[in-house]
Amino acid sequence: MGKTADAIAEGVAIATAAARLTVRNHILVETIAHGAPFDPAAFAPFAHDTLIALADEQQQAGDLARRQAKKAWGRFSDPDGTHDYRDRDTRNLRKRRRQYVGVAKELRRRAEDPEAVRELVEHARDAAWGDVEANLQRRLTVEGMRPDLDPDYERMRAARMQSLRLVDLPRLAAHRRHVTAAAAEAAGDAPD
C-alpha cells in the first residue's frame, strides 16, 4: 500500500503544480492585461474550478484504466501494441486506477478546503510576482547597462552602432515624417 500512497502523493504534487501554473497565468492575465487588482478572494473560485477540473481528469483516467482492465481480463495472446493490454496487465491496471482515483479524491478534498484554495492562490501569486520581477530585472539589466559594467561593451559597440544607423534612425525618421504629415493634414483641415 505504501507504493500506491507514494504514487498518489506524487500525482497530487504534480497536479498541484499544474494548478498553480494555471492560476498563476490567470492572475497575470487578469492583473496585467485586464488591469484588475489582485484580490485573493476573487481568484479563489478559479483556483477551486481548476482543482476540480484536474480531479475530473484524474477520475476519467481511472475510468479508462478500469475499462482497459475489463477488456484485458481473460486475454492471453500476445499484445499488438503498447496499449493492447492482456490478462497479465490487469493487476497493474487496477493499481493504476486506484492511484488515479486517489489523486482525484485528494484534489476534490483540497478544492473544498478554503485554506488549501487560499494557499494555492497565494503560491500562484508568488509565482506570478516572480515572473514579473524576473522580467523587470532582465529589462532593467539590459536597458540600464553601463559601459563600465558590461564586459562585452567594446566588442558589441560596432554592432550596436550599425543597428542604430540601419534600424533605429530610419524608424525615427519615418515616425517624424508621419507626425509632421499628420500635423500638416490637421492644420490644413482646420477651419480658419
Side-chain angles (χ1 to χ4, degrees), residues 84-154:
D84 187 23
Y85 298 109
R86 296 297 183 246
D87 192 78
R88 65 182 169 267
D89 300 314
T90 57
R91 181 173 177 232
N92 188 36
L93 288 167
R94 284 193 306 267
K95 183 177 183 178
R96 199 179 299 168
R97 180 183 182 282
R98 284 192 304 271
Q99 293 167 351
Y100 286 132
V101 170
V103 171
K105 182 179 176 181
E106 177 59 20
L107 290 175
R108 283 193 175 85
R109 186 197 66 73
R110 289 183 183 199
E112 300 309 321
D113 179 1
E115 183 60 27
V117 170
R118 186 197 62 74
E119 188 175 304
L120 173 61
V121 170
E122 288 300 320
H123 287 156
R125 180 192 57 83
D126 291 345
W129 177 244
D131 285 354
V132 170
E133 182 181 28
N135 192 16
L136 286 172
Q137 193 68 268
R138 200 170 30 257
R139 290 190 72 187
L140 290 173
T141 299
V142 171
E143 293 175 12
M145 181 59 75
R146 295 187 353 225
D148 58 324
L149 297 177
D150 185 1
D152 294 328
Y153 179 81
E154 287 301 323

Side-chain angles (χ1 to χ4, degrees), residues 1-182:
M1 193 63 183
K3 290 182 181 179
T4 298
D6 291 344
I8 290 171
E10 186 175 328
V12 169
I14 292 169
T16 301
R20 185 172 44 253
L21 179 66
T22 302
V23 175
R24 180 204 73 178
N25 290 343
H26 185 69
I27 289 170
L28 287 170
V29 168
E30 291 303 313
T31 58
I32 294 174
H34 299 143
F38 176 77
D39 177 13
F43 291 101
F46 182 82
H48 171 271
D49 294 348
T50 299
L51 288 169
I52 294 297
L54 289 168
D56 290 346
E57 189 178 293
Q58 292 295 305
Q59 186 64 50
Q60 290 169 4
D63 294 344
L64 176 62
R66 185 187 72 237
R67 287 191 307 274
Q68 289 171 331
K70 259 186 187 177
K71 185 178 174 184
W73 189 78
R75 295 178 73 192
F76 297 100
S77 60
D78 288 334
D80 292 330
T82 306
H83 298 290
D84 187 23
Y85 298 109
R86 296 297 183 246
D87 192 78
R88 65 182 169 267
D89 300 314
T90 57
R91 181 173 177 232
N92 188 36
L93 288 167
R94 284 193 306 267
K95 183 177 183 178
R96 199 179 299 168
R97 180 183 182 282
R98 284 192 304 271
Q99 293 167 351
Y100 286 132
V101 170
V103 171
K105 182 179 176 181
E106 177 59 20
L107 290 175
R108 283 193 175 85
R109 186 197 66 73
R110 289 183 183 199
E112 300 309 321
D113 179 1
E115 183 60 27
V117 170
R118 186 197 62 74
E119 188 175 304
L120 173 61
V121 170
E122 288 300 320
H123 287 156
R125 180 192 57 83
D126 291 345
W129 177 244
D131 285 354
V132 170
E133 182 181 28
N135 192 16
L136 286 172
Q137 193 68 268
R138 200 170 30 257
R139 290 190 72 187
L140 290 173
T141 299
V142 171
E143 293 175 12
M145 181 59 75
R146 295 187 353 225
D148 58 324
L149 297 177
D150 185 1
D152 294 328
Y153 179 81
E154 287 301 323
R155 187 173 62 81
M156 298 301 294
R157 186 174 190 283
R160 286 192 305 274
M161 293 308 290
Q162 184 178 16
S163 175
L164 178 70
R165 282 190 304 276
L166 297 176
V167 177
D168 296 332
L169 290 177
R171 187 182 292 163
L172 181 61
H175 175 70
R176 188 70 198 140
R177 283 192 302 273
H178 176 72
V179 168
T180 303

